[in-house]
Amino acid sequence: MATGNDGKQDRGGRDADASTPSDLYTFAVRLRRMNGEINRLVHGFAGDHGLHATDVQALAAILDAEEPMTPKRLREHLGLTSGAVTACVDRLERAGHVRRVRESSDRRVVHLHYVSDARSAARTYFRPLAEATQAARSRFTEDELSVVLRFLAAMNEELSGITPARAETGHDPVHPPTP
């Protein structure tokens, strides 16, 4: 997909496509562009299913979880309030994407499960993304892909340690001060 910046120069007057592979600006541009393209697909899926983009992030977190997802872990993962997570899970449940299951040994524990029919619908919708990923992968050797995966894992590790900066005033819009 072409962008308005194709063929333009970066802030340093360099051709953005001719930068060295290790140039931080080049990485930033490519990562933003990929993020934008994925967000475009996510927003399309959300709109088609009457969901919010955050709901799709929640679905991905539930799908990718190595153990059954709980509302508390989902709240921590998304950085939302418990009320916002409850509203999100309610929307996902009403839309038929997830179901809440109470743990039999401790009825207070709720696990969130992706409904198989909804998972199938998501696979169908995101099939072009999977096909594009496969097409891009086919351009690289296994050794190159190994490096790409190491880079992506390292980026995710670094990003997971970042706490969003708050305004200079110290105001936290997610957790406003109590009077």
Side-chain angles (χ1 to χ4, degrees):
M1 174 178 192
T3 67
N5 290 329
D6 285 348
K8 292 192 177 179
Q9 295 180 338
D10 67 17
R11 290 185 190 134
R14 300 166 296 191
D15 178 355
D17 289 329
S19 298
T20 61
S22 61
D23 181 271
L24 183 58
Y25 179 80
T26 301
F27 270 90
V29 168
R30 298 297 188 274
L31 289 170
R32 277 193 303 267
R33 182 166 179 202
M34 185 175 67
N35 185 56
E37 294 297 336
I38 291 172
N39 280 341
R40 182 178 55 81
L41 296 171
V42 165
H43 284 261
F45 179 82
D48 287 356
H49 291 268
L51 303 173
H52 297 233
T54 302
D55 299 342
V56 181
Q57 288 179 324
L59 285 173
I62 293 165
L63 179 65
D64 295 343
E66 294 179 7
E67 56 191 46
M69 182 62 76
T70 64
K72 178 183 177 187
R73 284 185 38 237
L74 186 60
R75 178 184 61 78
E76 292 166 352
H77 178 79
L78 296 175
L80 299 175
T81 65
S82 55
V85 167
T86 298
C88 172
V89 173
D90 286 347
R91 282 190 303 272
L92 291 172
E93 194 170 44
R94 276 193 309 273
H97 288 275
V98 299
R99 62 184 164 79
R100 291 175 168 109
V101 176
R102 296 217 176 261
E103 181 63 38
S104 60
S105 60
D106 184 348
R107 301 288 295 154
R108 295 172 296 175
V109 176
V110 174
H111 289 155
L112 305 172
H113 295 278
Y114 210 137
V115 174
S116 61
D117 288 345
R119 187 183 301 217
S120 178
R123 278 193 189 119
T124 299
Y125 187 91
F126 288 105
R127 182 164 316 188
L129 176 59
E131 291 167 354
T133 302
Q134 183 55 38
R137 286 180 71 239
S138 72
R139 299 179 198 170
F140 298 89
T141 67
E142 287 299 316
D143 287 343
E144 290 171 324
L145 290 171
S146 177
V147 172
V148 169
L149 288 175
R150 281 188 15 242
F151 171 76
L152 292 173
M155 277 297 299
N156 285 327
E157 182 180 333
E158 293 294 331
L159 291 172
S160 71
I162 297 174
T163 302
R166 303 295 178 210
E168 293 291 326
T169 62
H171 173 71
D172 180 346
V174 176
H175 304 97
T178 54

